[in-house]
Amino acid sequence: MRINTNVSALTSSRNVFINNMNARSSMGKLSSGLRISQASDDAAGLSIANKLRTQARSLRQAATNAEQGRAMLQIAEGAAQPIQAFIERQKELMVQRDQSATNSSVTATLANEINSLQSESTRVRAEANFQGTSVFQSLVFQVSDQTSNGTLTVDASLTLTSLTGTSTLANADSALDAVNSALARIGVGQNVLDFTTRNLKSAVVNVRAAESTVRDVDMAEEMATFTRSNILMQAAQSMLSQANQSSQSILNILR
């Protein structure tokens, strides 16, 4: 028997240290809910999880961009509708003006209303903006986290033909066609942005789920690991105590 180096005690001490580290690691994971709470837990997994988290955040912002684009198009539609109503009223007045029985005084009154409606139509178009940006133009939205093919363009431009007291019915029809064409393009853009937003939100959920499988801890499995490490640590501590006491038996030989 040797007492200078207590190999049993050293072995038990090493096992106590290892099991204590494992139990401490499990406690950290259980308390945080993360399988990877530090780079040493899984360096490769951490890299993958961080990329997925970045992708999820980018897609979430892209969805926000699409929703803001939808809001811009709603403003454009809201402004185009009264402009269309103005033009319809102007055409109605032109039909009344062109009635051969209409006298000059009535014609002047009708022309004055047509001009007033044109001024209001111009004002509505000029004031239709989103955070200072005119909504009646070619609008480009970043709706992806990709550098290529990541934008969506909606042509919401509206060029109005000014209608005056001397304009013809053909001029009014041309102005109506321009507004109706703009409304059609705006409607298509709204539908596309709706589909895009739903797709992006679904992508965010899927990417977050993928990140969870890499980064988040399986609580049941980790609890079993913690319990095992805790029991082994207590057993190793008990064996360390036994190893330290076994050397005391040498004293009986020396008596």
Side-chain angles (χ1 to χ4, degrees):
M1 300 180 67
R2 297 176 178 85
I3 63 171
N4 202 39
T5 302
N6 192 335
V7 177
S8 297
L10 292 175
T11 301
S12 298
S13 177
R14 179 175 63 84
N15 289 331
V16 167
F17 175 76
I18 292 173
N19 291 319
N20 182 57
M21 285 188 61
N22 291 337
R24 187 166 54 192
S25 175
S26 292
M27 289 179 65
K29 293 175 182 179
L30 289 169
S31 61
S32 66
L34 298 175
R35 184 181 71 86
I36 307 175
S37 56
Q38 54 187 356
S40 60
D41 291 334
D42 184 352
L46 179 63
S47 176
I48 295 171
N50 285 342
K51 289 180 180 179
L52 289 171
R53 174 176 290 180
T54 301
Q55 183 181 4
R57 294 182 63 177
S58 299
L59 289 172
R60 188 162 54 244
Q61 182 57 53
T64 300
N65 292 348
E67 290 176 328
Q68 290 180 345
R70 184 70 163 77
M72 293 182 72
L73 294 181
Q74 285 178 321
I75 293 173
E77 180 184 10
Q81 288 177 344
I83 291 175
Q84 181 186 38
F86 293 151
I87 297 173
E88 290 175 352
R89 174 58 179 165
Q90 286 173 310
K91 183 176 182 180
E92 180 184 358
L93 294 171
M94 290 176 190
V95 172
Q96 183 179 357
R97 178 202 63 192
D98 292 345
Q99 170 61 258
S100 58
T102 303
N103 57 42
S104 57
S105 62
V106 174
T107 300
T109 300
L110 296 175
N112 182 61
E113 184 175 350
I114 291 173
N115 291 333
S116 297
L117 288 170
Q118 182 58 48
S119 297
E120 184 63 12
S121 178
T122 302
R123 185 192 66 79
V124 170
R125 182 185 181 282
E127 292 185 356
N129 67 83
F130 181 83
Q131 296 182 350
T133 300
S134 173
V135 295
F136 288 120
Q137 59 175 310
S138 183
L139 302 172
V140 180
F141 308 111
Q142 183 70 36
V143 292
S144 173
D145 63 336
Q146 303 298 315
T147 55
S148 60
N149 300 321
T151 59
L152 173 65
T153 302
V154 178
D155 183 10
S157 58
L158 174 59
T159 302
L160 289 178
T161 300
S162 295
L163 300 177
T164 65
T166 59
S167 296
T168 65
L169 293 175
N171 296 142
D173 288 337
S174 177
L176 277 174
D177 288 342
V179 176
N180 288 331
S181 177
L183 281 170
R185 295 193 303 274
I186 290 169
V188 170
Q190 288 175 323
N191 287 333
V192 172
L193 284 171
D194 284 343
F195 287 123
T196 300
T197 301
R198 286 196 287 268
N199 180 62
L200 287 169
K201 288 185 178 293
S202 177
V204 169
V205 173
N206 293 332
V207 172
R208 290 298 302 274
E211 181 196 353
S212 176
T213 61
V214 178
R215 190 189 299 273
D216 294 346
V217 69
D218 184 328
M219 298 295 285
E221 181 180 352
E222 194 60 42
M223 190 63 201
T225 301
F226 170 73
T227 301
R228 173 180 175 275
S229 298
N230 199 32
I231 292 174
L232 288 174
M233 181 176 63
Q234 293 180 42
Q237 289 174 339
S238 177
M239 292 303 100
L240 176 60
S241 176
Q242 292 293 327
N244 288 330
Q245 291 178 8
S246 64
S247 62
Q248 300 294 321
S249 63
I250 301 298
L251 294 177
N252 295 327
I253 300 174
L254 300 177
R255 289 176 183 173

